[in-house]
Amino acid sequence: MDLIGRLTATFITEERWRWFVSGLGYTMLITLFAVILGFVIGVLMALMRLSKNRILRAISGTYIDIIRGTPTMVQLLIIYFVIFASVNIPAWMVGAIAFGINSGAYIAEIVRGGILSVNIGQTEAGRSLGMTPKQTMMSIVMPQAMKNILPALGNEFVVLIKETAVVGMISNIDLVGAARKVQGRTYDYLIPLLAIAVIYYVVIKIISLILAKLEKGMRKADKR
């Protein structure tokens, strides 16, 4: 079969291009929910890691150590085939939860680093104004820390888009799943894989350009 025939079989026959569009939609949906969940978990774990309470520090440290020390695929398989084995929820939601939990460990370290990067004088200034430690953290430290870590969070979002490719291990709903379905019909492995590689590249390139523009705007705002 020539190249035109292979492209036709991959995208045109049975409107298989819709599989790739649907796969891209699920990939972005999983990534978006995973980032939101990961951010919530990450901020909580970072605050616990910086807490003076030894138990909270131990819980946070153990969570981060285990998640960062085990493969993402293993975590996904455990969550899907063990934890949610008897629960009837969509595969994309399981993927979002798994990647959110995974991402939370990395975001926790990013947020912790961002908080520690804020000059201690900012905390002292807040306390001198009569603010409680919580008020100082939420009103003074966190806003500055978030600005510092935004580029790193953007990079985590890009990494997550690529990592969601392993969702194909539990369900054919993402881009990799779309490629596998096409391969099962055409027995052509090269074109579908090249297709999703191009899609991933284009999506990540667009997001990277947007993040670079945001970061450039932030640097301009910092100029005196």
Side-chain angles (χ1 to χ4, degrees), residues 7 10-11 20 175 179 182 189-202:
L7 289 172
T10 300
F11 297 105
F20 291 96
L175 279 171
V182 172
Y189 287 83
L190 178 60
I191 299 299
L193 290 178
L194 287 178
I196 63 172
V198 170
I199 293 172
Y200 273 119
Y201 176 80
V202 171

Side-chain angles (χ1 to χ4, degrees), residues 17-207:
W17 60 269
R18 293 180 180 272
W19 298 352
F20 291 96
V21 173
S22 175
L24 176 60
Y26 275 111
T27 294
M28 298 307 297
L29 183 65
I30 292 170
T31 303
L32 179 61
F33 275 84
V35 165
I36 294 173
L37 177 60
F39 181 77
V40 173
I41 294 175
V43 171
L44 178 61
M45 290 295 117
L47 294 176
M48 289 172 62
R49 192 80 183 270
L50 295 171
S51 172
K52 295 180 180 180
N53 188 302
R54 294 177 60 183
I55 296 177
L56 294 180
R57 290 203 308 271
I59 293 173
S60 176
T62 301
Y63 162 77
I64 293 173
D65 187 55
I66 292 175
I67 295 299
R68 295 177 68 185
T70 55
T72 305
M73 183 181 296
V74 174
Q75 296 168 16
L76 175 64
L77 294 177
I78 290 174
I79 291 174
Y80 185 76
F81 290 109
V82 179
I83 297 177
F84 288 107
S86 59
V87 182
N88 185 24
I89 64 174
W92 74 264
M93 191 174 294
V94 175
I97 293 172
F99 288 111
I101 293 173
N102 178 269
S103 181
Y106 295 93
I107 292 178
E109 290 298 276
I110 293 173
V111 173
R112 185 174 71 91
I115 292 174
L116 293 176
S117 71
V118 178
N119 193 294
I120 188 65
Q122 300 292 319
T123 301
E124 294 172 348
R127 298 302 301 276
S128 67
L129 292 173
M131 301 176 70
T132 64
K134 181 178 179 180
Q135 289 174 329
T136 302
M137 176 63 71
M138 300 308 297
S139 301
I140 297 178
V141 177
M142 285 300 291
Q144 295 182 66
M146 288 298 109
K147 187 176 181 180
N148 293 337
I149 68 176
L150 186 59
L153 288 177
N155 183 66
E156 177 66 17
F157 182 73
V158 170
V159 171
L160 264 179
I161 293 175
K162 293 184 289 185
E163 285 189 343
T164 56
V166 301
V167 168
M169 295 296 297
I170 63 173
S171 179
N172 289 335
I173 60 173
D174 68 329
L175 279 171
V176 174
R180 291 173 62 181
K181 286 194 290 185
V182 172
Q183 290 167 351
R185 300 292 184 89
T186 64
Y187 300 102
D188 182 356
Y189 287 83
L190 178 60
I191 299 299
L193 290 178
L194 287 178
I196 63 172
V198 170
I199 293 172
Y200 273 119
Y201 176 80
V202 171
V203 170
I204 291 172
K205 187 66 175 179
I206 292 172
I207 293 175

